[in-house]
Structure formats: structure tokens, C-alpha cells
Amino acid sequence: MTTETEYTQVIEDTALIIQYDPYRFNASASRGWESSYTDGNSPTADGLWLLGQGDSRHVTSRVGSTLQFSFHGHGIDLVGLPGGFAYDVILDGSSVGTGNAGGGILASLRNLEDKTHTIQIVVGESDGTTDALFVFDKALLLIGSGYSNAIVSSENIDDNDQRLTYTGQGWQRATSPYLIASDVGVHQTRTNGDSVTFEFEGISIYLAGNSNGDCSTYNVALDDQPPVTYDSRTLQFIGDNTFFFASGLDPNVKHRITVTNLANNLLELDYFSAKKVDAGTQTTSNATSATSTNTASASAQAANSDGKRTNIAAIAGGVAGAIVLAVAATMVVFLFKKRNMRKRQEAAENERLARHAGMRLSLPATPAVTRPAVNPEMYTPPATSSYPPNPVAQTPQRTDFRW
């Protein structure tokens, strides 16, 4: 049986495609979700924002708290710690338990139907542990490529790439003062209605940008699908945050993605990343091709039945020649695949190990941010509001949140 090549996509807890409810906006809120960093926060040099130190987590101590997002894939690992809380995992509206959970994995689900799923975690009662916190760290998505014996690669498209089409008068190139020196800049706008469009080929698309408390709502339209609205306001400044991700795309057609600013607030976009498939054998369209071929053969036979008698010898000679050519072509393909099979098997094994590595999964490290010394006593929280990353059908009505 042919095995489909799969790859793993990491969705961090800060991703704007995750909906947290309720979200804790200020100290007076009652134990809702809040973003937390392993080494705490520090104010930026200008005193406007907070910068998280270490690895990010989303935590809550409130019974009934939920998180939810959609994905297209064969499997998912939810990484985190229950912290003494009971919890339930709901897939497409039905409780599925926690799979093979343990070792920093809240749930591990496999062999899912190849379609778009909605996953939800509902936090239950605590076991009474003092200062207990339910912790969500990240999601690891297991996604099919649509091909067997294939190599999946990524192409990053920088915000200054000529293939991006910017529409509107507010776009400008800028370099964030909070990012590392190697970051060459982002495209930003504060104008409602400004947009950027990118046409690409691939099996998935990812968008990264910067988020903080001064940022805007935006929507994303992919191909002919209705646009989905997200909010890029976050308590901390987060560079290269996940603004959008979609997979399960047809690799044989050109796709179009458009991102539109929905307010006169800051929208900062850094880069797109498209996954592509190299070599391999397609596993999703063979049935369609076979049906078309069989239909054409039946039509030809029906037309020939009313004509002259077929020359059997000529047909036999043609069939024999075709068989010889087919055997030769098969040998060439077999030798080519055999030569490259070892590398593909090694890549598949690395992906398999990565999927089961748990909270200590080896991922590309985020470079450390060099910041000037800041006097914490001079830090004043910004007057602008901060909102959690919630995808919504329309722009959120509340705009007066404070912390």
C-alpha cells in the first residue's frame, strides 16, 4: 500500500488563528486566558510595550475556559500541561478524550479524515492544587502532501518581494526597533482598506507579521472562500507571529491570497511561506484520471463496432511494441526512485520523530533579542487597548479594553 508523504506544521500558542475564551485583559479580570513567558516580561526601550522573555505559553485557572481553531490534516498533537485540571478535547463537535496523552502532550489524535477539522479544549474542574494553572504551549499538525515518496519544501516570500501587490496609499517599509538587527524590515500601514495580494502555487500557505497592543483587525481571503477576520492586538510585542495558515490546497493550480486592513490602526506584515511538493507520485487524482481514460476507451470501441473489421495482426503488433516501451519506462522510473529512496526515508523518519518529541521538540530556535537597559520604574502601560487573537466573523465591537 502506498504511504502518503506527510509533514509537521507548528502552531504556537500566540498564533492569531487561535480563539481563546474568555481572555484576561487586565488584573481585575477573573482568571481568563492570558499570555505568559517562562522568563517573564520586560518593557521596551521606549516604554510603550512589553517584550516576552523565553518561551511563550497561554495559561488559565478558570473552569470552563476554552481554546479553539481549525486545521486541515491527518493528525494533531496539543502540547501543554493540565496543571491539576480536568479537561476535554472536542473534535468537530464530538468529545474524543485525550488520545495517547502524557509527557507534555494534552492530546494526540491520528488517522483523521483528510479535511478541515475544528479542535477545541474545554478546561474542567481543578484537583484543588494551590495556584494551579492549565497551560497550552503549541499545536503540532500532521498534514498530508497528496503525494507518496515526495519531498516537501518551503519557499519564503519576503514582504519586499516583487510578486506581492500592495494596494492603497498607506503602505510603507519600516524596521521595527524591537526586533533583532538581522530583520530587514516589514511592510506596515495604518490605513483602513489597504491590502496586499499574493498569487502562488503550493499545498499550504503561511503568513507572519508583528503584533502588539496598537495593532489592527484584518481579514484574509483565500481563493474563492469568504474572508475571515482576525485581530492582531496582543498584550506583548510578538515578532513574526502567525497571522494565517491554510493547508490541503491543490498543488496543480495557482492560488490567490489577499490580506486587508480593517481599521486605521497598525498592520505589520513580514513574509509569506508556501509549502511545495517535489517529485513523488500523486495519490489524490489517480482515480479521476482512470475514470476519464476508461470512458474514452468505451466510446472508441462503440464507434469502431459500426465500421470495417479491425486488423487483428496490426493491433497485436502495436500492443507488443507498447508493452516493450512500458517495461523500459518502468525500469527507468524504478532505478530513479531506488536511488533517491534512502534520502526520502530519512526525511520521513525525521518527521516521525519530530511528531512524538513532546514539549522538548527540537524546533528552529528564535534568535535572542538584544535590548538596551531599561529602568522598570519608568514603564507606563500604553493607553491603547490589547485584544486576544480571536478569529471572528466580523470586526469585534469592543474597542475600549485596558490593562
Side-chain angles (χ1 to χ4, degrees):
M1 181 177 178
T2 302
T3 302
E4 182 179 5
T5 301
E6 299 173 322
Y7 66 96
T8 300
Q9 176 70 41
V10 180
I11 303 297
E12 294 288 350
D13 66 293
T14 58
L16 304 179
I17 63 176
I18 302 176
Q19 180 177 353
Y20 294 95
D21 184 44
Y23 201 88
R24 186 178 183 181
F25 295 99
N26 51 54
S28 63
S30 177
R31 300 173 298 152
W33 289 101
E34 60 181 309
S35 56
S36 174
Y37 284 79
T38 54
D39 298 325
N41 301 310
S42 66
T44 58
D46 54 17
L48 292 178
W49 313 112
L50 294 172
L51 284 170
Q53 308 291 324
D55 194 12
S56 65
R57 304 282 194 273
H58 265 70
V59 300
T60 184
S61 59
R62 179 169 176 167
V63 175
S65 295
T66 64
L67 68 84
Q68 175 178 305
F69 62 96
S70 297
F71 69 98
H72 188 118
H74 297 163
I76 184 171
D77 287 342
L78 299 173
V79 183
L81 294 171
F85 284 89
Y87 64 98
D88 191 18
V89 178
I90 300 172
L91 180 71
D92 300 332
S94 300
S95 175
V96 293
T98 59
N100 298 318
I105 302 295
L106 295 169
S108 181
L109 307 177
R110 292 292 183 273
N111 301 317
L112 304 180
E113 186 178 351
D114 189 24
K115 67 175 188 178
T116 299
H117 301 278
T118 298
I119 192 82
Q120 183 183 51
I121 295 179
V122 180
V123 180
E125 296 290 339
S126 169
D127 62 3
T129 302
T130 303
D131 297 328
L133 287 175
F134 185 94
V135 179
F136 175 68
D137 184 19
K138 60 174 71 72
L140 308 178
L141 308 182
L142 182 61
I143 304 172
S145 66
Y147 288 77
S148 62
N149 299 320
I151 298 175
V152 178
S153 60
S154 297
E155 180 187 12
N156 290 342
I157 299 89
D158 188 66
D159 67 289
N160 214 31
D161 194 290
Q162 296 301 310
R163 289 171 288 179
L164 304 184
T165 301
Y166 291 92
T167 302
Q169 302 301 315
W171 289 107
Q172 61 180 351
R173 197 89 194 288
T175 301
S176 173
Y178 314 132
L179 298 181
I180 59 176
S182 61
D183 190 281
V184 296
V186 297
H187 261 73
Q188 62 177 213
T189 180
R190 289 182 177 271
T191 303
N192 187 359
D194 280 4
S195 65
V196 58
T197 298
F198 173 48
E199 293 187 350
F200 67 97
E201 294 179 351
I203 58 176
S204 72
I205 187 68
Y206 175 92
L207 172 62
N210 299 335
S211 59
N212 60 46
D214 187 34
C215 286
S216 187
T217 54
Y218 63 97
N219 69 28
V220 180
L222 180 60
D223 296 333
D224 296 328
Q225 300 175 20
V228 179
T229 299
Y230 301 93
D231 197 316
S232 60
R233 287 175 289 177
T234 51
L235 288 173
Q236 294 93 353
F237 173 87
I238 304 173
D240 286 349
N241 199 6
T242 301
F243 273 48
F244 183 77
F245 176 72
S247 57
L249 306 182
D250 187 343
N252 300 311
V253 301
K254 181 163 286 188
H255 301 280
R256 179 185 180 95
I257 183 172
T258 299
V259 183
T260 304
N261 192 7
L262 297 182
N264 291 319
N265 292 323
L266 181 64
L267 179 65
E268 285 193 344
L269 304 181
D270 195 359
Y271 67 89
F272 291 89
S273 182
K275 282 278 195 304
K276 298 186 176 183
V277 178
D278 299 322
T281 302
Q282 192 166 7
T283 61
T284 56
S285 63
N286 291 336
T288 302
S289 300
T291 301
S292 301
T293 301
N294 292 336
T295 302
S297 298
S299 300
Q301 291 172 4
N304 191 59
S305 64
D306 295 329
K308 297 181 179 179
R309 179 175 296 181
T310 304
N311 189 324
I312 303 300
I315 292 177
V319 170
I323 291 175
V324 172
L325 291 176
V327 170
T330 301
M331 289 300 298
V332 171
V333 172
F334 174 78
L335 293 174
F336 176 80
K337 287 187 175 181
K338 184 176 181 181
R339 180 180 180 183
N340 292 279
M341 185 64 69
R342 183 179 298 274
K343 290 184 178 180
R344 292 169 182 161
Q345 290 176 339
E346 292 175 351
E349 179 65 11
N350 288 337
E351 289 183 357
R352 186 187 69 81
L353 292 174
R355 292 196 300 269
H356 297 282
M359 294 192 69
R360 298 303 178 185
L361 179 69
S362 178
L363 299 173
T366 302
V369 179
T370 303
R371 309 177 183 86
V374 179
N375 183 359
E377 296 179 356
M378 298 180 63
Y379 171 64
T380 302
T384 49
S385 61
S386 179
Y387 197 78
N390 291 340
V392 291
Q394 297 179 351
T395 304
Q397 296 178 354
R398 296 188 63 183
T399 58
D400 59 346
F401 296 113
R402 310 280 185 199
W403 73 84

